[in-house]
Amino acid sequence: MNNFTDVWSALDWDDISLRINSKTSRDVEQALSRNKISREDFMALISPAAQPYLEPMAQRAQQLTRQRFGNTVNFFAPLYLSNLCANECTYCGFSMSNKIKRKTLDEDEIRRECEALNALGFKHLLLVTGEHKGKVGMDYFRRHFPAIRSHFDSLMIEVQPLQQEEYAELKTLGLDGVLVYQETYHAPTYALHHLRGQKQDFFWRLETPDRLGRAGIDKIGLGALFGLSGNWRTDSYMVAEHLLYLQQTYWQSRYSVAFPRLRPCTGGIEPASLLEENQLVQLICAFRMLAPDVELSLSTRESPYFRDHVIPLAINTVSAGSKTQPGGYADDHPELEQFSPHDNRSPQHVANALTRAGLQPVWKDWDSFLGRVSQENVAGWQTSKLSGMQIP
Ligand code: SF4
């Protein structure tokens, strides 16, 4: 049976780093001149040589985003069900050895969270947990999924990697998508940051999207946690390889890519390398050029200023007003949180800012969430001005 492990094993981290760093401005200009970019073009676009080309990259990425998604931006909210975790990750406030108060929501508390999110306008939900299969595993999901799903139009999860059959079962209970970030594709760095628990198994995680594809899950989310490895460019290239492999192997599924950067948390580490804001813009634009149809997502880890300026370029899914703690919407429990979000504005405040930038926030339109944008939206955007968007 094929797995991404076979592809990953043939990729040499050091060689890829070298090839990216050796790209020239001529390579970047060639990449910018193509309608469809290759792997080598993608390397050029994320290379240091591309940094002076941010403006043309942003224009191209924006044009592709509007062509494919119109002016819509889909809103979703994360709902943290539990901060229990049986893993030790150096960068996370939920790590098992952290002396924080632990909480898992019961039926009544989940209902109150769902109602609070509905009242804020959300109909697309991402369920998040720590990784504790004993107390927040399949039995818990079976018990609570149907009631949660009844409050929302779509349901995604970001929980511990599961077996293929378990994903297939959750699909029958209303699961639409799964986010599973590899954190870093550099195995030695991965080992340094995952000290206890099942998450230490690099390959179990690496092959999770294969299990999702085989289970027929509709949407699969990928990403690396920038700041863990010393080389964001090579990790980004690995995400691109993973995406291209999955698109080819499980073509019935749709994909999303996110760009999380390390945020402060209880007991958390300092980033090994900084992905600066202008480099993050470069990366997002390069991904849009590589995969015009793929959903690109930006969370509240980023600042309001950055989000307001970058979402109009190439992002089509955002979270807003996020609470990273169980029970955070109905009541506030900052002492239970996983990390501190940077954009603390209300969902409506974020939506208003995007509307002023000419975008159309979407809370509940399922067709738009699937990327099937209406011709009316496309036409509406084409008559509006693309110029005037400033890159921070
Ligand atoms: Fe647990 Fe995930 Fe945090 Fe690691 S990153 S400690 S697995 S919640």
Side-chain angles (χ1 to χ4, degrees), residues 85 87-89 91-92 94-96 129-131 183 199 338:
C85 192
N87 292 319
E88 184 79 30
C89 306
Y91 49 86
C92 180
F94 289 177
S95 284
M96 63 190 293
T129 67
E131 298 194 5
E183 318 299 11
K199 199 168 175 180
Q338 185 184 31

Side-chain angles (χ1 to χ4, degrees), residues 36-58:
K36 187 170 168 32
I37 70 168
S38 65
R39 284 170 166 80
E40 290 295 322
D41 293 329
F42 182 75
M43 282 188 182
L45 292 172
I46 61 172
S47 74
Q51 278 171 353
Y53 293 86
L54 213 47
E55 184 68 39
M57 284 180 69

Side-chain angles (χ1 to χ4, degrees), residues 100-307:
I100 59 167
K101 200 172 154 201
R102 304 286 172 169
K103 172 143 190 79
T104 300
L105 300 186
D106 63 22
E107 187 178 339
D108 190 46
E109 290 164 326
I110 292 173
R111 183 184 46 74
R112 289 178 60 219
E113 289 290 278
C114 292
E115 288 170 356
L117 283 166
N118 287 164
L120 288 168
F122 288 107
K123 295 301 279 181
H124 302 303
L125 188 71
L126 171 67
L127 286 179
V128 187
T129 67
E131 298 194 5
H132 198 294
K133 67 178 178 189
K135 293 202 173 141
V136 190
M138 282 300 289
D139 285 349
Y140 183 89
F141 300 143
R142 283 185 194 107
R143 202 159 54 243
H144 297 297
F145 255 49
I148 295 172
R149 187 63 169 82
S150 70
H151 284 84
F152 296 93
D153 291 347
S154 76
L155 183 59
M156 310 252 308
I157 57 171
E158 187 178 350
V159 307
Q160 64 272 20
L162 303 173
Q163 304 277 1
Q164 179 183 328
E165 306 72 44
E166 293 172 327
Y167 287 128
E169 183 184 344
L170 292 182
K171 187 177 172 186
T172 68
L173 300 178
L175 178 66
D176 296 296
V178 177
L179 308 185
V180 57
Y181 303 143
Q182 185 60 28
E183 318 299 11
T184 175
Y185 288 79
H186 188 240
T189 304
Y190 187 95
L192 275 180
H193 292 288
H194 299 99
L195 306 176
R196 287 166 77 186
Q198 177 147 40
K199 199 168 175 180
Q200 285 182 295
D201 188 339
F202 178 88
F203 294 103
W204 174 247
R205 197 167 189 88
L206 192 70
E207 292 175 4
T208 303
D210 281 289
R211 298 195 297 280
L212 289 165
R214 286 197 278 271
I217 296 298
D218 185 37
K219 187 154 78 175
I220 302 171
L222 307 175
L225 179 58
F226 295 112
L228 274 196
S229 80
N231 193 337
W232 65 266
R233 289 189 169 89
T234 311
D235 251 333
S236 305
Y237 181 77
M238 293 293 192
V239 175
E241 280 282 0
H242 206 166
L243 174 67
L244 294 173
Y245 158 82
L246 291 166
Q247 283 182 315
Q248 191 176 14
T249 312
Y250 310 103
W251 51 269
Q252 300 93 333
S253 294
R254 296 171 305 116
Y255 297 93
S256 69
V257 176
F259 308 90
R261 296 193 293 175
L262 269 180
R263 288 287 301 151
C265 69
T266 306
I269 54 160
E270 286 298 312
S273 70
L274 277 182
L275 170 58
E276 304 285 354
E277 287 193 342
N278 60 347
Q279 294 170 328
L280 181 51
V281 176
Q282 178 188 355
L283 179 60
I284 290 169
C285 293
F287 261 103
R288 175 55 73 221
M289 284 184 265
L290 179 76
D293 291 342
V294 162
E295 189 177 286
L296 300 186
S297 180
L298 197 64
S299 78
T300 54
R301 285 173 181 264
E302 301 301 333
S303 72
Y305 180 85
F306 184 81
R307 294 208 327 149

Side-chain angles (χ1 to χ4, degrees), residues 78 80 83 101 103 105 109 112-113 116 120 321-341 344:
Y80 279 66
N83 63 357
K101 200 172 154 201
K103 172 143 190 79
L105 300 186
E109 290 164 326
R112 289 178 60 219
E113 289 290 278
L120 288 168
S322 301
K323 303 292 182 188
T324 68
Q325 67 216 237
Y329 297 102
D331 311 295
D332 204 13
H333 298 287
E335 73 282 6
L336 301 177
E337 73 181 9
Q338 185 184 31
F339 63 88
S340 319
N344 289 306

